[in-house]
Amino acid sequence: MTEGSTPHLSPARITVLGVQPGNPPFRIVEVDGRFVGRAMSMTDVLLVAAEAGIPIHDLDDLDEVRWVGGGKFNWTPH
């Protein structure tokens, strides 16, 4: 296996999991692997992280936020 084929595993403390069905749909936000809240938008991710004491400066920075099951623009279930 070459270095180029190794997946990037983010050291990010914030993880945003895939969209969950609901009214409205939401995504679970974890800090260090522990549930800290639900987000219905990118703004909610920022607020939940801030409440946990972790400011996010760039939602695209994989060292800050790890998006699982879709990127920051994915907020509807498939």
Side-chain angles (χ1 to χ4, degrees):
M1 182 180 274
T2 65
E3 186 175 322
S5 64
T6 303
H8 174 76
L9 296 177
S10 174
R13 295 184 63 200
I14 301 292
T15 301
V16 182
L17 301 177
V19 178
Q20 302 297 309
N23 190 15
F26 64 92
R27 296 179 77 167
I28 294 172
V29 181
E30 296 179 343
V31 173
D32 299 329
R34 298 180 69 167
F35 172 84
V36 293
R38 295 178 180 193
M40 277 65 79
S41 68
M42 287 184 279
T43 302
D44 289 343
V45 173
L46 295 170
L47 293 172
V48 169
E51 287 176 12
I54 302 172
I56 298 173
H57 300 99
D58 183 357
L59 289 170
D60 292 319
D61 185 347
L62 295 177
D63 290 331
E64 290 195 33
V65 182
R66 180 172 175 240
W67 297 92
V68 178
K72 67 180 183 181
F73 295 114
N74 182 17
W75 295 95
T76 56
H78 294 284

